[in-house]
């Protein structure tokens, strides 16, 4: 116990005081580095954020609320939330299953699966949107079949959900795989040797261990699902009040020179990003502590 | 429960972790699997537990005569204590111990009160009654080890398997816990197997020791047999310190340099090169030469901290020789002021080309 407290003290001390003096560069180098970093942040992150809220409130708070309460905007918000509400839980299940398989088992194609999970990160979202048009569009592979059964995927809500899912599916799995690999399987093996079944092991042992990482993945996944533009833009068809999500609605408003309304709606996205950032920071701390507990308990010896 | 392993093989990729291991553990025994790291001892233990499986088609594992090869570990009735304890981090000590009972199906699960009684009883057994509501990271290493043991015992296994049970503990706690485990085993009499790389632990704790090296069983026997009658050079070397000499054996003699020892058991054999081993406590030291059965040696270093005095010597054959003397004998010989002495082995172990003869 003493030892763990010490590790924690050590790390928190480290966090407070920064790296040791031995590694410190001369003063002028430090100043340049810090100034460059701050300018960069100000130019690319803080300034745009300020502009968004500034432009949004340009015509006063009433115009701002008006722009958001407008039926087409409300419909876009609703559709975005629906898409996220379907895509995130499905990706949660997929992510946990994939991470479980990759983290705990050795099987043929394990590396291939790991690589494939990253695919949506490497493919341009527009291309992935196009793929779905080619698959489910009027002239696509499944086009005739879908038309026969009077099903509409492209230029309709299902297409938007599918595109959102595709773009966001790596988040949960990517977060969990390294976590599960470092945790190892000892606790699960212990549970099994005590007679627990697969589901019992998952609910009682694995899930409590990965819950913070899982929430972290879900947070990032949700943020991306809400903000996704490229893939959704290709499959949506931009039908106002029907297949417009928040980012698409912002684009339309902006193209119509309705700048203040565009920024008003965009401010919702900015707000969601800030909330995500806060949640993310909180979860990262929790995960850090979890990992400390893990390594602490293995190294300690008294 | 009696455990029989027959011709167990295990390969990881191209690495042969276990090579045709057969061994029988009688009901109620406390057996140590002793070997260096990477020798395959933990793999063997995991195979007994059902956490790993032997190569397909190889070997049998029988519990009380029943082949359990294909049985999953949940139905083998095995309690397993992991090297790093593998306690459930987010559960209290109480919930950790109760886990095995709580996950049973409704028909087999004891009532809440029965579980509570059982856990309380086990907490009493491991002397941690007051810490039932602590989380694992609030416990010391020794306490965690005991909780892991109680958790394994809660499901009333027929066999208890322990992987390096004291490996992560400091020396003092290790000794205490070793004694406590010994008493516990005597009390409940459960068939137990533990893995260790520490020969004193194996000698001190077990009723029999199986020495494993490179995936092979080198020797199995009581601690006395293993220590005094090692069958291979590996076993001899692994169990405690030993001095090594190259010599010649045959015609009724053992020769190391000018030292000649009578060995009637080699009377009818021609002289052959041999490896000769002498334990540090089996060397007699004298200060005056008498007769031919001595070897001259120079004391190069000595240290007296401990229950015996350790001398480091250089022999006339230019070999290093370690000798342990009782403090009384050390005083008697007045060795503190002498550097040139004569040594005679009281007992030697001889191996001819890897073949054991004595």
């Amino acid at each position: 116990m003493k030892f763990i407290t010490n590790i924690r003290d050590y790390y928190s001390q480290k966090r407070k005081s920064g790296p040791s003096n031995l590694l410190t560069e001369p003063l002028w180098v430090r100043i340049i580095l810090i100034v460059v970093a701050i300018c960069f942040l100000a130019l690319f992150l803080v300034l745009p954020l300020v502009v968004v809220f500034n432009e949004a409130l340009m015509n006063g708070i009433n115009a701002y609320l008006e722009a958001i309460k407008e039926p087409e905007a409300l419909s876009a918000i609703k559709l975005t939330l629906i898409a996220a509400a379907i895509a995130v839980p499905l990706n949660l299940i997929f992510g946990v299953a994939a991470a479980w398989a990759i983290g705990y088992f050795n099987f043929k194609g394990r590396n291939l699966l790991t690589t494939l999970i990253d695919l949506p990160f490497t493919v341009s979202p527009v291309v992935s949107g196009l793929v779905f048009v080619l698959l489910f569009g009027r002239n696509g592979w499944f086009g005739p079949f879908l038309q026969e059964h009077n099903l509409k995927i492209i230029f309709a809500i299902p297409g938007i959900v599918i595109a959102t899912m595709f773009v966001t599916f790596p988040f949960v799995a990517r977060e969990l795989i390294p976590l599960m690999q470092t945790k190892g399987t000892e606790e699960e093996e212990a549970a099994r040797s005590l007679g627990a079944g697969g589901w019992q092991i998952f609910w009682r042992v694995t899930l409590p261990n990965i819950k913070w990482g899982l929430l972290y993945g879900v947070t990032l996944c949700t943020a991306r699902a809400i903000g996704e533009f490229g893939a959704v833009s290709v499959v949506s068809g931009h039908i106002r009040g029907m297949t417009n999500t928040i980012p698409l609605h912002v684009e339309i408003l902006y193209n119509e020179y309705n700048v203040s309304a565009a920024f008003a709606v965009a401010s919702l996205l900015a707000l969601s990003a800030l909330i995500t950032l806060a949640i993310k920071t909180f979860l990262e701390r929790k995960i850090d502590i979890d990992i400390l507990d893990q390594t602490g308990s293995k190294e300690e010896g008294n | 429960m009696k455990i029989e392993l027959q011709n167990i093989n295990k390969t990881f990729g191209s690495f042969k972790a276990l090579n045709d291991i057969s061994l029988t553990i009688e009901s109620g025994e406390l057996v140590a699997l002793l070997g260096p790291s990477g020798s395959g001892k933990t793999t063997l233990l995991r195979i007994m537990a059902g956490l790993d499986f032997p190569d397909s088609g190889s070997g049998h594992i029988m519990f009380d005569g029943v082949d359990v090869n294909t049985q999953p570990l949940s139905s083998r009735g095995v309690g397993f204590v992991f090297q790093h304890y593998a306690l459930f981090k987010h559960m209290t000590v109480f919930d950790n111990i109760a886990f095995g009972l709580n996950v049973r199906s409704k028909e087999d699960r004891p009532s809440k009160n029965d579980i509570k009684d059982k856990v309380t009883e086990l907490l009493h057994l491991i002397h941690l009654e007051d810490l039932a509501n602590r989380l694992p990271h609030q416990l010391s290493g020794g306490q965690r080890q005991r909780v892991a043991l109680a958790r394994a015992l809660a499901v009333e296994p027929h066999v208890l398997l322990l992987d390096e049970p004291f490996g992560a503990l400091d020396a003092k706690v290790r000794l205490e816990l070793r004694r406590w485990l010994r008493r516990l085993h005597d009390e409940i009499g459960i068939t137990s197997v533990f893995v260790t790389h520490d020969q004193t632990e194996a000698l001190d704790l077990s009723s029999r020791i199986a020495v494993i090296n490179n995936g092979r069983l080198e020797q199995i026997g009581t601690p006395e047999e293993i220590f005094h009658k090692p069958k291979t050079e590996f076993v001899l070397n692994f169990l405690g310190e030993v001095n090594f000499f190259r010599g010649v054996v045959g015609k009724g003699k053992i020769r190391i340099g000018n030292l000649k020892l009578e060995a009637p058991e080699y009377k009818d054999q021609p002289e052959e090169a041999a490896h000769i081993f002498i334990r540090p406590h089996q060397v007699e030291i004298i200060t005056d030469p008498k007769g031919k059965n001595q070897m001259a040696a120079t004391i190069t270093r000595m240290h007296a901290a401990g229950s015996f005095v350790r001398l480091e010597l250089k022999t006339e054959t230019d070999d290093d020789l370690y000798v342990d003397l009782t403090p009384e004998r050390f005083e008697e010989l007045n060795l503190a002021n002498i550097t040139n002495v004569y040594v005679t082995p009281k007992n030697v172990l001889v191996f001819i080309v890897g073949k054991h003869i004595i």
Side-chain angles (χ1 to χ4, degrees), chain A residues 95-105 110 172-186 188 201-202 205-207 209-211 213-214 287 291 294 298:
Chain A
V96 171
W100 182 285
I102 289 169
Y104 290 163
F105 302 109
R110 180 163 166 266
V172 175
R174 283 297 306 239
E175 184 54 37
L176 291 185
I177 290 166
L179 197 64
M180 283 172 139
Q181 278 171 339
T182 45
K183 293 236 178 225
T185 53
E186 266 204 343
E188 279 77 10
I201 293 175
F202 178 74
V205 178
T206 308
L207 193 62
N209 274 335
I210 61 169
K211 60 174 186 278
L214 192 65
I287 294 168
I291 288 171
Q294 187 74 15
K298 283 207 170 165

Side-chain angles (χ1 to χ4, degrees), chain A residues 116-134:
Chain A
L116 283 181
I117 285 175
D118 282 345
L119 193 68
F121 280 167
T122 51
V123 172
S124 158
V126 178
V127 174
S128 43
L130 270 176
V131 169
F132 290 115
V133 172
L134 291 175

Side-chain angles (χ1 to χ4, degrees), chain A residues 91-109:
Chain A
N91 278 336
L92 173 76
I93 294 166
F94 164 80
V96 171
W100 182 285
I102 289 169
Y104 290 163
F105 302 109
N106 242 325
F107 54 91
K108 269 187 187 163

Side-chain angles (χ1 to χ4, degrees), chain B residues 329-345:
Chain B
R329 182 72 186 143
F330 182 75
E331 285 294 321
E332 203 182 309
L333 289 167
N334 192 22
L335 284 176
N337 308 313
I338 298 173
T339 49
N340 292 320
V341 294
Y342 300 87
V343 295
T344 314

Side-chain angles (χ1 to χ4, degrees), chain A residues 184-200:
Chain A
T185 53
E186 266 204 343
E187 280 188 47
E188 279 77 10
E189 282 183 341
R192 177 140 281 175
S193 80
L194 292 166
W199 281 111
Q200 284 175 319

Side-chain angles (χ1 to χ4, degrees), chain B residues 273-291:
Chain B
H275 292 170
I276 296 156
F277 297 90
I278 308 167
R279 296 254 186 232
H281 66 279
Q282 290 181 325
V283 179
E284 181 59 48
I285 290 203
I286 47 173
T287 45
D288 297 316
K290 43 181 178 184

Side-chain angles (χ1 to χ4, degrees), chain A residues 19-156:
Chain A
S20 89
N21 288 333
L22 277 175
L23 296 174
T24 302
E25 299 292 329
L27 187 65
W28 62 272
V29 176
R30 273 184 282 161
I31 289 175
I32 290 182
L33 285 175
I34 292 168
V35 167
V36 166
I38 287 178
C39 286
F40 195 85
L41 273 179
L43 192 63
F44 288 97
L45 291 173
V46 180
L47 202 62
L49 208 58
V50 172
V51 169
V52 166
F53 285 101
N54 188 37
E55 294 284 322
L57 295 166
M58 194 171 50
N59 298 338
I61 188 87
N62 283 335
Y64 177 82
L65 290 176
E66 219 36 57
I68 290 174
K69 276 198 290 192
E70 194 234 350
E72 281 171 15
L74 282 180
S75 140
I77 294 169
K78 200 173 132 202
L79 179 58
T80 301
L81 293 180
I82 287 174
I86 298 172
V88 173
L90 287 177
N91 278 336
L92 173 76
I93 294 166
F94 164 80
V96 171
W100 182 285
I102 289 169
Y104 290 163
F105 302 109
N106 242 325
F107 54 91
K108 269 187 187 163
R110 180 163 166 266
N111 286 334
L112 186 72
L113 184 59
T114 318
T115 315
L116 283 181
I117 285 175
D118 282 345
L119 193 68
F121 280 167
T122 51
V123 172
S124 158
V126 178
V127 174
S128 43
L130 270 176
V131 169
F132 290 115
V133 172
L134 291 175
L135 281 177
F136 302 116
R138 189 181 289 258
N139 301 316
W141 284 16
F142 301 109
F145 172 85
L146 292 171
Q147 264 176 320
E148 230 169 77
H149 295 83
N150 210 12
L151 294 169
K152 220 166 152 35
I153 290 186
I154 298 303
F155 306 144

